[in-house]
Amino acid sequence: MTSRKTVQTMKPATAAKKLGVLLEATPADFQEGVVSRDELNALQADPPEWLRDLRRNGPHPRPVVAAKLGISISGLTRNGYADPLTTEQINAIRDEDPEWLHLERTTRVEARREEERAQARKAAKAEKSAKTRDNS
């Protein structure tokens, strides 16, 4: 009795998220079908023109916009940017260099530092606990 290997598939929304593109901006045949793991890998390894264009020009989903600006998704929302943006719009925000962008970048840096401190405290506590168990 041989087992059959099943093809792993995902919804187009999941594939678009993994590709870092906005689903609504993808071609209709991509939006209407399912994407296998092999197809996703092929798209990542050798992206077709439509995917290269979307990654270059957008519109970009909010996680990509936030990353390109160096801020959090919450920071985008707090400052009125709930919709996807194109590369041109992102560059315009960078060129304008508004005060809120500086504040959000500072907030993100502080949040990351606090996460690192929390992880270090957790690791130290776990190490201390392990030493206590070993000495018992």
Side-chain angles (χ1 to χ4, degrees), residues 72-94:
S72 66
I73 296 171
S74 299
L76 282 174
T77 305
R78 277 191 294 272
N79 292 283
Y81 292 95
D83 296 326
L85 298 176
T86 63
T87 300
E88 186 177 319
Q89 292 168 314
I90 294 167
N91 290 339
I93 293 170
R94 282 188 193 143

Side-chain angles (χ1 to χ4, degrees), residues 57-118:
N57 301 316
H60 303 287
R62 292 184 333 144
V64 173
V65 173
K68 285 180 178 275
L69 291 173
I71 63 175
S72 66
I73 296 171
S74 299
L76 282 174
T77 305
R78 277 191 294 272
N79 292 283
Y81 292 95
D83 296 326
L85 298 176
T86 63
T87 300
E88 186 177 319
Q89 292 168 314
I90 294 167
N91 290 339
I93 293 170
R94 282 188 193 143
D95 292 345
E96 184 182 311
D97 201 26
E99 182 63 27
W100 66 263
L101 187 58
H102 290 279
L103 294 172
E104 292 298 342
R105 285 177 175 163
T106 302
T107 300
R108 185 174 185 202
V109 167
E110 290 171 2
R112 283 193 170 166
R113 284 185 185 147
E114 183 54 38
E115 284 177 23
E116 289 170 1
R117 283 192 290 267

